Amino acid sequence: MDVVKEILTKIKMYQTIIIHRHQRPDPDAIGSQAGLAEILRESFPEKNIYQVGGPVEGLEFLAQMNEVSDETYKNALVIVTDTANSPRISDERYDLGAELIKIDHHPNDDPYGDLVWVNTKASSCSEIIADFYHLNQDELVLNSNAARLLYAGIIGDTGRFLYPSTTPHTLEVAAELMSFDFNPAELNRELEQIPMNVAKLAGYVYQNIEVDEQGAAKVILPQSLLDEYGIVDSDTAAIVSLPGVIDEVLAWGIFVEQPQGYYRVRLRSKGPVINELAKKHHGGGHPLASGANAKDQKEIKAIYEAIQKLCKEYKK
Ligand code: AMP
């Protein structure tokens, strides 16, 4: 039996299904998680379906999380979406269930779970969930809210169909989702709009970005600056892609100081593969979009030098 059928069989077997996603969720984490939850609620109204995890950090308009007791995990099927590594799963009770399924589109470095469905060619985990519905259309029902959530995940992870992970299939899936009853333009606005303090931070990013002659760029955002602008870590999602519009920038790192003193590193690239570099610094991710951590300025320097090297090799 292929893994898709096996997953559906497991879903049908369990009365309680709890769906997790990664910490610091982005629209694809919430979209794939809550989108799957909506499909299962609509398809199996007699089952108990929960979506769980920590704060959704500015994405409340997409979905709210459910509160679940430890007891609920007994005899439950747990599904984790969009999460490559088990330490990044939000709500560490994910392994309290009877069985665990991983559904993801990141490289499968940590194949946790009794069943694993990973498709690194998918633009987003939401695209995989839409495929899951499609492949089982005779047994599953997709409602408008599920369509809205999955659409949000796809536009989130593709930068509105801009990034190279966008395929003809992505557009076919998005077109089908768009035919459901929700307002895609309003959803785009909700996802794209930023408060004034984040707009001012965008100004800071453009004023202070450093780019070398090979196109390697960096921006450091110290905690004192974030405090001055009234910015919290999750707000920085809106500025991560900004250096990409500068013609001479090829790959970049945004180093966001955390209240604990270490730096969250957000790496992006238009060509050089940066996820191996991320893995060397307690991180991981996609070939062109990864995250890592730097403990101090010395590690920031080492990461930036590595980006410079990757850009140089890429341009050879
Ligand atoms: P971010 O810059 O946090 O938006 O992350 C970009 C990509 O890298 C996402 O696909 C994340 O799942 C992945 N990523 C970010 N941080 C980590 C980490 N610490 N470990 C593994 N993957 C990460």
Side-chain angles (χ1 to χ4, degrees), residues 85 88 106 264 266 268 282-286 289-291 293:
N85 318 86
R88 288 195 82 225
H106 298 90
R264 173 184 187 183
R266 311 189 74 169
R268 298 292 187 273
H282 306 285
H286 302 284
S290 297
N293 293 286

Side-chain angles (χ1 to χ4, degrees), residues 7 11 17-40 49-53 65 77-86 88-91 94 100-106 112-113 115-119 124-130 132 149-150 153 157 286:
I7 292 174
I11 287 170
I17 301 170
I18 306 173
I19 310 178
H20 290 239
R21 40 76 192 164
H22 61 78
Q23 300 158 354
R24 292 170 167 163
D26 54 13
D28 189 35
I30 305 284
S32 58
Q33 173 196 33
L36 176 61
E38 275 293 285
I39 292 171
L40 298 186
I49 313 288
Y50 302 104
Q51 55 211 32
V52 303
M65 295 297 110
L77 173 66
V78 176
I79 303 178
V80 182
T81 67
D82 196 38
T83 312
N85 318 86
S86 52
R88 288 195 82 225
I89 301 173
S90 185
D91 197 332
Y94 73 89
L100 180 64
I101 296 177
K102 171 186 187 182
I103 304 179
D104 190 26
H105 71 128
H106 298 90
Y112 62 83
L115 279 178
V116 175
W117 181 16
V118 168
N119 177 7
S124 50
C125 195
S126 296
E127 184 180 313
I128 300 179
I129 301 301
F132 181 64
L149 286 158
L150 298 177
D157 255 31
H286 302 284

Side-chain angles (χ1 to χ4, degrees), residues 15 29 41 107 144 214 222 231 240 256 262 299:
Q15 175 59 24
R41 281 187 200 108
S144 295
Q214 309 295 339
I231 298 277
V240 177
V256 186
Y262 74 96
E299 195 168 359

